[in-house]
Amino acid sequence: MRLLERMRKEWFMIGIVLAIAGAKLEPSIGVNGGPLMPEITVSYIAVATIFFNSGLSLNPEELTSALVHIKLHLFIQIFTLAFFPAAIWLFLQLLSMTPINEWLLKGLQTVGCMPPPVSSAVILTKAVGGNEGIVVTPLLLLLFLHSSSSVPFTSIFSQLFMTVVVPLIIGQIVRRYIKDWLERKKPPFGAVSSSVLLTIIYTTFCDTFSNPNIDLDTFSLILILFIICSIQLSFMLLTFIFSTRNNSGFTPADTVAVMFCSTHKSLTLGIPMLKIVFAGHEYLSLISVPLLIYHPVQILLGSVLVPTIKSWMVSRQKHTCKLITTKRETQKRYS
């Protein structure tokens, strides 16, 4: 299963490149008013499909059992939805004085405002990436980007409710009635969501390549890639240092969850949300670029770091068990 999941992620990253290349070759198909009619099929049907699919795949029993880790969840929420966007905003005050494309910088801020992944290899990520992200993320986007969104506040939340919350709830209700069939057949939820997401990405870039006024320089892209790698590594190190303090109260397993859940950002929720918040914006695709870069980078960094982090966790757990055993033997000896 892990091998299949890894292969799906690799194919999805290739799919992102192909979707953008396809938009470059023939942008007229996916532009607003074009044959695909993305103003309807993408803005409503595609986004709703992703979250109905998420509702079907989310196991309520696993979510309920995971919610007992209140302290862990609270830390991840605060770091992800408060510290992360605030730190990025401060960093962007310096970057705004550089020649980096301003819309890519705005896109970097949107990355900071995104919640953790809705579906991830770690069930804790599911538990902390739900309703709070759907409500808080648009507020953060409007707070940090001010007038960049031309869509009325009430329209943003009404569309988010109808295309995200309602399909998610319906998916959970339907799951109750076909739970046995789902567990027996194991439908390819990830593949379905990835396919729909690639369609959203394709139509977003069709609008870009059909607009002759938009120009993206290679220098800005390279710098953004370097900045994103640096941010992820720095924040993972920061969460590791914090969660391994003597008085942190986190176990080695908690530390691993903190490192990944606090620094990962949801592409599945992020792209549809940007499509809603910045609907009709001519620079929407440039704003989306940092999130599209962040997603494969977090997967690649995770793949590279997992063996090292796993070895550390196992050694710490063995050390803890040894200390407990020694303490018990000492207590028996003097009792």
Side-chain angles (χ1 to χ4, degrees):
M1 289 297 290
R2 288 182 179 177
L3 179 61
L4 288 174
E5 181 66 17
R6 187 182 301 173
M7 288 177 63
R8 186 184 69 80
K9 288 178 178 178
E10 289 174 354
W11 277 109
F12 179 65
M13 287 189 282
I14 294 171
I16 291 176
V17 175
L18 292 176
I20 296 173
K24 175 69 173 176
L25 290 172
E26 194 54 62
S28 60
I29 296 175
V31 296
N32 284 338
L36 285 182
M37 294 188 293
E39 62 273 17
I40 298 172
T41 57
V42 170
S43 298
Y44 295 94
I45 299 174
V47 176
T49 300
I50 287 176
F51 289 99
F52 173 75
N53 190 53
S54 295
L56 281 178
S57 64
L58 289 174
N59 190 332
E61 289 82 6
E62 290 178 336
L63 291 177
T64 303
S65 63
L67 284 172
V68 298
H69 300 86
I70 299 299
K71 182 179 179 180
L72 179 64
H73 295 168
L74 185 61
F75 175 84
I76 292 171
Q77 291 285 16
I78 293 173
F79 189 94
T80 307
L81 297 173
F83 176 81
F84 204 124
I88 294 295
W89 182 83
L90 288 172
F91 186 41
L92 289 181
Q93 303 312 301
L94 296 175
L95 291 179
S96 62
M97 295 183 285
T98 67
I100 299 176
N101 185 290
E102 65 169 312
W103 296 104
L104 289 180
L105 293 180
K106 289 181 184 293
L108 202 56
Q109 183 66 71
T110 67
V111 170
C113 297
M114 291 299 156
V118 174
S119 62
S120 174
V122 190
I123 188 61
L124 290 171
T125 306
K126 291 182 180 178
V128 301
N131 293 334
E132 292 89 340
I134 293 169
V135 174
V136 176
T137 295
L139 290 174
L140 291 172
L141 290 173
L142 294 172
L143 172 66
F144 287 109
L145 298 177
H146 306 295
S147 60
S148 295
S149 172
S150 58
V151 182
F153 185 79
T154 53
S155 297
I156 291 172
F157 278 93
S158 62
Q159 190 171 345
L160 279 172
F161 182 78
M162 293 305 298
T163 59
V164 176
V165 180
V166 172
L168 198 63
I169 293 171
I170 293 174
Q172 283 281 278
I173 294 171
V174 172
R175 180 184 171 85
R176 290 186 179 185
Y177 294 98
I178 60 172
K179 179 181 176 182
D180 293 337
W181 181 85
L182 290 172
E183 292 179 351
R184 188 171 63 253
K185 295 294 185 179
K186 300 188 183 304
F189 294 115
V192 172
S193 291
S194 295
S195 300
V196 177
L197 197 56
L198 288 174
T199 303
I200 297 174
I201 293 169
Y202 168 73
T203 58
T204 299
F205 278 86
C206 281
D207 285 333
T208 299
F209 294 127
S210 63
N211 187 344
N213 297 323
I214 294 178
D215 182 36
L216 179 59
D217 59 291
T218 307
F219 174 74
S220 292
L221 267 179
I222 294 172
L223 279 181
I224 287 293
L225 175 60
F226 174 77
I227 290 166
I228 285 173
C229 291
S230 301
I231 288 172
Q232 286 199 40
L233 287 171
S234 300
F235 282 4
M236 288 182 79
L237 178 61
L238 183 63
T239 53
F240 177 81
I241 292 171
F242 184 88
S243 59
T244 52
R245 294 183 308 162
N246 292 331
N247 60 346
S248 69
F250 291 128
T251 65
D254 290 339
T255 296
V256 175
V258 165
M259 286 178 65
F260 286 111
C261 296
S262 298
T263 57
H264 280 205
K265 295 295 183 176
S266 174
L267 185 68
T268 306
L269 182 59
I271 292 297
M273 193 172 289
L274 290 179
K275 195 81 174 176
I276 293 169
V277 175
F278 297 101
H281 201 294
E282 65 174 329
Y283 291 102
L284 170 60
S285 60
L286 295 190
I287 295 172
S288 306
V289 165
L291 185 57
L292 292 173
I293 294 174
Y294 196 97
H295 179 74
V297 168
Q298 71 188 13
I299 293 173
L300 290 172
L301 282 179
S303 301
V304 171
L305 294 174
V306 158
T308 304
I309 294 172
K310 185 177 181 180
S311 298
W312 171 84
M313 186 181 73
V314 171
S315 65
R316 281 296 297 267
Q317 287 174 335
K318 286 181 179 178
H319 179 66
T320 302
C321 290
K322 188 176 180 180
L323 287 176
I324 293 172
T325 303
T326 305
K327 186 176 180 180
R328 285 175 179 173
E329 290 177 351
T330 304
Q331 288 174 343
K332 284 182 181 180
R333 191 178 302 164
Y334 291 100
S335 60

